[in-house]
Amino acid sequence: MRYFNTAGPIRPKDHYCFNPLERINLEEILSLIEQKKYFVLHAPRQTGKTSCLLALMEYLNNQTDFKCLYINVEAAQGAREDVKRGVKAILNELGSRSKFHLKDSYIDKIWSETLEKSGEDGALNALLSRWTEESQKPIVLFIDEIDSLIGDTLISVLRQIRAGYDKRPENFPQSIILCGVRDVRDYRIHSDRDKSIITGGSAFNIKAVSLRLGDFTEPEVYELLEEHTKETGQPFDVKAKELIWNYTQGQPWLVNALAYQACFETKAKRDKILEKMPITEEMIIDAKEALILRRETHLDQLADKLREERVRKIIAPMIEGIFIENINPDDLQYVIDLGLVKKDHSEIKISNPIYREVIPRELTTITQYNLGSAVQAAWYIAKDGSLDVVKLLQGFQEFFRENSEIWVERFDYKEAGPQLLMQAFLQRVINSGGRIEREYGLGKGRTDLMVIWNYYISPTPSLLPKGEGKNEEITPKLTHQRVQKEIIELKILHKSLEKTISDGLEQTYKYMDRCGQSEGHLVIFDREKSKTWEEKIFCKTESYKGKAITVWGM
């Protein structure tokens, strides 16, 4: 049986997949190689770069007159600024990979001697020259994880490749593809030797073009899911397929991880495959929650990037709902290359709904733990199991009045502190029986929250006859699940209170209408320090276009 792949390159015998060469513009790449170009292929982590390069290497070796080799230089990352150690690791990788992929031991026999003779700042150049001269075919080299190299090691590798460029194709590789998360022009390399910052564009000014590997398209997502159905007979409901696409927007790791979680993660789920029970929308929702709560490596790596200042400059305004001002275009491109945000026509958005949920949850993780003694879910659950959202907002209003100055200052993203603190407070409660769906972004002027709360009620007990005219109360064992949805919109007071409420009512109404809800809540945070809490704190219910909206001032 094959599986959905969530770690490393695909293996068609083991994993559901489609031809990786269909994900790249093969004709364009072959043309660049024919033209003897050196170029870049980049994409966010775990999007299938390595799988594409390995498939392309196999194609070139089997279908063309080129000798192609793939190497991964990540092992040299540990050398950091020690150029000799770093280059040694790369030469060893060249020797090992050429034996494995090409059954060619030439590099393995000469790399140590070449390093000794040419030194660390010339050995890579010399080795590639000797290998190219010895080969009967033009050489094509793929260097993966190039941006894992650090400082002077990266500078040395780029400059040695650049120094051999004019010798191609007779005495140096005809074409080299550098592969990583970022485009080489965006590198800002700290040189310990020169005590300066050197740009990648300067160290590698022979790059012809940068190609970016995209996410799966919607048809490709459905094609991948269909591979599972063909192999096992277990179908995905139409709504489940659509939800996988909606949650992931085609991000390859997320697609595979959600499907794997829903189909294979437990024995009970694997048994359902044998029974050919369909994968439902509810199972995908549960799978998404499980991935987030487990802090899977892919999500954890992205969350770690949130601590970087250049990332904060982009993400903080998105959480606040304001516009970015005076931003460095390189910082924006960096966050796009990481995969955290994407350009959608003229708009910058968080890349997909899962990332949109992970970001505030990650930024408030410690706060949620610290709120443990101050916020107990049981306080806000009614006797029938439903969520008492009015009591919950009253509790937060009181908490915010007494503690906001202390708690907001603890966030790295202080500008978005009020929104994050409220989401931490809500998450602390909702974790016990529901989930929060979030919408926020640049210039929206608000954060939209839909709280989805699941609870169960028992049918009313009934009296059934029991012998001799006596009656016995029978309590049915079956319970019914109910789903409660609550709309909460968060806004920061920037204009007058009247204008903010007016705008907020219209925005909340539209969100409620889209979600099919007749009641909602609008929370307005007033950060003006000169005002007293008596001026800021209020609660009133407005009737707006036939819908009841409770406005909370804080």
Side-chain angles (χ1 to χ4, degrees):
M1 181 182 290
R2 294 187 297 162
Y3 303 91
F4 293 100
N5 182 34
T6 59
I10 58 167
R11 296 172 60 91
K13 291 182 179 179
D14 299 329
H15 304 132
Y16 302 131
C17 61
F18 37 82
N19 186 351
L21 295 181
E22 295 176 0
R23 298 191 60 209
I24 59 177
N25 188 331
L26 182 59
E27 182 179 350
E28 180 182 14
I29 289 177
L30 292 178
S31 175
L32 290 169
I33 291 173
E34 287 287 351
Q35 295 175 55
K36 307 177 184 62
K37 301 293 187 181
Y38 286 17
F39 56 102
V40 171
L41 175 67
H42 69 104
R45 295 205 174 279
Q46 294 184 295
T47 52
K49 299 186 297 295
T50 300
S51 296
C52 289
L53 290 178
L54 290 172
L56 183 57
M57 176 183 67
E58 183 177 357
Y59 176 87
L60 291 173
N61 285 327
N62 293 333
Q63 304 293 329
T64 72
D65 291 327
F66 296 111
K67 178 187 283 190
C68 181
L69 179 63
Y70 163 92
I71 66 169
N72 185 316
V73 298
E74 192 169 16
Q77 184 182 48
R80 303 190 72 81
E81 299 282 357
D82 188 334
V83 179
K84 186 170 185 177
R85 278 184 58 205
V87 170
K88 181 178 180 181
I90 294 169
L91 300 185
N92 182 65
E93 169 74 357
L94 277 162
S96 175
R97 287 277 184 174
S98 61
K99 286 176 64 178
F100 179 73
H101 292 301
L102 305 175
K103 311 305 177 189
D104 181 355
S105 59
Y106 179 76
I107 293 178
D108 201 46
K109 293 177 180 177
I110 68 167
W111 73 258
S112 183
E113 165 213 330
T114 305
L115 178 60
E116 183 68 26
K117 180 179 179 180
S118 301
E120 60 268 29
D121 287 317
L124 179 61
N125 182 297
L127 184 73
L128 292 178
S129 293
R130 292 179 65 181
W131 181 39
T132 304
E133 291 167 4
E134 187 272 342
S135 174
Q136 299 299 310
K137 296 181 177 182
I139 297 293
V140 177
L141 180 63
F142 301 157
I143 305 179
D144 200 1
E145 300 289 352
I146 185 67
D147 51 358
S148 67
L149 301 181
I150 294 172
D152 290 314
T153 300
L154 176 56
I155 293 169
S156 179
V157 168
L158 294 177
R159 285 177 171 169
Q160 288 190 63
I161 294 173
R162 186 180 68 178
Y165 181 73
D166 65 299
K167 297 186 291 182
R168 74 198 197 290
E170 293 83 4
N171 301 99
F172 214 67
Q174 166 150 335
S175 183
I176 292 179
I177 299 180
L178 301 182
C179 186
V181 171
R182 293 171 293 151
D183 186 353
V184 67
R185 71 173 175 81
D186 297 320
Y187 298 175
R188 298 295 180 268
I189 312 167
H190 296 264
S191 171
D192 189 54
R193 290 174 174 175
D194 298 338
K195 306 299 180 187
S196 63
I197 296 177
I198 296 173
T199 64
S202 172
F204 195 74
N205 58 9
I206 53 174
K207 180 198 75 173
V209 68
S210 291
L211 306 178
R212 193 177 194 273
L213 181 65
D215 292 329
F216 293 157
T217 63
E218 189 171 359
E220 286 174 337
V221 170
Y222 297 156
E223 180 184 342
L224 188 70
L225 300 177
E226 186 63 23
E227 288 290 304
H228 174 74
T229 301
K230 289 178 180 177
E231 184 143 326
T232 66
Q234 182 183 41
F236 286 80
D237 282 352
V238 172
K239 287 188 176 180
K241 290 180 179 180
E242 292 174 348
L243 190 58
I244 290 175
W245 165 252
N246 178 55
Y247 274 161
T248 66
Q249 295 297 293
Q251 205 289 329
W253 184 87
L254 289 177
V255 173
N256 279 278
L258 271 182
Y260 183 88
Q261 178 72 29
C263 297
F264 295 105
E265 184 62 28
T266 65
K267 183 180 184 302
K269 291 176 181 177
R270 293 190 291 272
D271 288 343
K272 289 181 180 179
I273 295 176
L274 300 177
E275 300 167 12
K276 296 181 172 53
M277 293 179 63
I279 300 298
T280 65
E281 184 179 25
E282 291 73 20
M283 294 166 71
I284 300 304
I285 292 172
D286 290 343
K288 183 260 293 183
E289 286 296 308
L291 293 181
I292 293 173
L293 290 174
R294 274 209 311 268
R295 296 182 61 139
E296 291 283 353
T297 301
H298 174 89
L299 299 176
D300 204 39
Q301 287 177 334
L302 281 178
D304 184 63
K305 294 294 183 181
L306 295 173
R307 296 172 176 81
E308 296 183 13
E309 178 61 18
R310 62 196 307 201
V311 175
R312 189 194 65 78
K313 290 178 180 178
I314 305 297
I315 300 299
M318 302 185 84
I319 298 174
E320 289 184 84
I322 64 175
F323 292 103
I324 297 176
E325 296 182 3
N326 302 320
I327 196 66
N328 186 333
D330 288 341
D331 291 340
L332 177 58
Q333 189 59 52
Y334 174 68
V335 180
I336 291 173
D337 287 346
L338 291 176
L340 276 169
V341 304
K342 65 179 180 180
K343 289 181 180 178
D344 187 1
H345 303 294
S346 60
E347 189 177 355
I348 303 298
K349 294 181 176 180
I350 301 297
S351 292
N352 56 67
I354 291 182
Y355 291 176
R356 196 165 62 221
E357 181 164 349
V358 167
I359 288 169
R361 286 175 72 160
E362 178 64 26
L363 293 173
T364 61
T365 297
I366 301 303
T367 303
Q368 289 180 53
Y369 291 138
N370 290 335
L371 286 172
S373 60
V375 184
Q376 298 294 320
W379 298 346
Y380 307 108
I381 299 175
K383 290 183 179 180
D384 65 354
S386 64
L387 184 68
D388 190 337
V389 71
V390 172
K391 186 177 181 181
L392 176 57
L393 290 173
Q394 286 173 339
F396 178 74
Q397 190 179 52
E398 181 180 349
F399 173 83
F400 191 78
R401 175 175 184 165
E402 296 174 355
N403 303 283
S404 61
E405 293 179 4
I406 299 172
W407 286 85
V408 168
E409 284 302 311
R410 294 176 179 176
F411 288 114
D412 291 333
Y413 286 51
K414 293 181 177 59
E415 305 91 333
Q419 296 97 319
L420 292 174
L421 183 57
M422 182 162 192
Q423 290 182 66
F425 192 98
L426 289 174
Q427 195 72 56
R428 180 74 191 176
V429 175
I430 303 306
N431 279 344
S432 61
R435 68 183 193 275
I436 303 173
E437 295 187 357
R438 301 164 169 87
E439 292 188 17
Y440 54 87
L442 292 176
K444 290 185 178 293
R446 66 194 186 277
T447 298
D448 295 327
L449 307 177
M450 181 163 67
V451 175
I452 300 174
W453 180 257
N454 302 307
Y455 65 103
Y456 297 85
I457 60 171
S458 299
T460 304
S462 59
L463 291 175
L464 298 178
K466 181 184 177 184
E468 306 294 327
K470 297 180 180 179
N471 290 333
E472 180 183 52
E473 186 178 86
I474 303 297
T475 301
K477 294 181 180 179
L478 295 177
T479 59
H480 299 301
Q481 181 181 9
R482 287 191 174 179
V483 179
Q484 176 184 353
K485 295 182 179 180
E486 300 287 349
I487 300 300
I488 303 173
E489 182 162 300
L490 314 181
K491 286 183 71 69
I492 297 290
L493 180 65
H494 290 297
K495 306 172 184 177
S496 68
L497 179 60
E498 292 73 17
K499 177 63 174 173
T500 302
I501 291 177
S502 175
D503 292 345
L505 289 173
E506 176 65 18
Q507 292 164 344
T508 307
Y509 167 81
K510 288 182 177 179
Y511 188 49
M512 291 165 59
D513 187 59
R514 183 152 52 89
C515 297
Q517 299 301 299
S518 59
E519 297 181 355
H521 300 268
L522 169 62
V523 178
I524 298 175
F525 295 103
D526 189 340
R527 306 195 71 179
E528 179 56 59
K529 294 182 179 180
S530 64
K531 291 183 181 179
T532 65
W533 280 108
E534 282 71 21
E535 294 176 280
K536 296 178 182 180
I537 296 292
F538 64 86
C539 177
K540 60 182 180 179
T541 300
E542 302 275 358
S543 178
Y544 189 82
K545 297 183 179 180
K547 295 184 183 292
I549 302 176
T550 302
V551 183
W552 301 81
M554 301 192 190

